[in-house]
Amino acid sequence: MTRKNKTWRGVLIMVLTCSVLGSLQGMLFGEWAHINELESLDYLMISINLNFSSFTVGYLLVNLTLGTGYILGELPNSLIKRQLKIAPGQHGKKTIGKLFLVIDHLDSVIFSLVLLVILFNISWALFFM
């Protein structure tokens, strides 16, 4: 049985799951987190900037962005590995393998954070605290 690493089904599942779970998180705990000053982002302000006034919408938008950023962050690394004839799910050999192993763990996280900063005008300081 062969398995494709990158599929449209995976993209949809990642983005939809992040969005739905983010919405539920905002709906169930958003106001509580806000009142108790436990938020790392101002989710309510994110939704108000788009003419909504809802924790659910703020959490949905942030998690939609993180899910989308995660998927998009994977693509350049995968493209480079395919060009170097490195099989899906593999990292390569020797030094290049170690480099791709590190990149595989960081690329999506970095891209997701950059997307958050750009789309929601979040300070970089938040990520370095």
Side-chain angles (χ1 to χ4, degrees):
M1 179 169 115
T2 60
R3 187 180 123 221
K4 295 179 182 176
N5 269 18
K6 305 285 187 267
T7 64
W8 284 109
R9 182 181 62 187
V11 170
L12 290 174
I13 288 172
M14 173 62 96
V15 173
L16 287 175
T17 301
C18 288
S19 300
V20 169
L21 292 178
S23 297
L24 287 172
Q25 182 183 12
M27 184 175 19
L28 298 173
F29 305 110
E31 186 174 2
W32 175 83
H34 185 74
I35 290 169
N36 291 290
E37 299 178 4
L38 297 172
E39 297 175 305
S40 55
L41 299 174
D42 190 346
Y43 294 96
L44 188 58
M45 189 54 65
I46 288 170
S47 69
I48 289 172
N49 286 341
L50 296 170
N51 295 322
F52 293 97
S53 181
S54 163
F55 287 104
T56 303
V57 173
Y59 277 77
L60 170 110
L61 292 171
V62 168
N63 284 281
L64 172 70
T65 302
L66 290 173
T68 303
Y70 188 90
I71 294 296
L72 293 175
E74 288 282 316
L75 296 178
N77 183 33
S78 295
L79 177 66
I80 293 168
K81 285 178 15 179
R82 295 306 88 74
Q83 297 299 315
L84 294 172
K85 307 266 190 261
I86 297 172
Q90 301 299 310
H91 300 293
K93 297 178 180 170
K94 300 184 183 180
T95 305
I96 197 158
K98 291 176 184 174
L99 175 65
F100 278 118
L101 180 63
V102 171
I103 292 172
D104 275 342
H105 290 296
L106 296 177
D107 56 359
S108 295
V109 173
I110 292 170
F111 195 86
S112 295
L113 296 177
V114 168
L115 211 51
L116 275 180
V117 168
I118 292 169
L119 293 179
F120 300 115
N121 197 28
I122 295 169
S123 168
W124 281 106
L126 176 68
F127 304 113
F128 298 109
M129 295 169 104

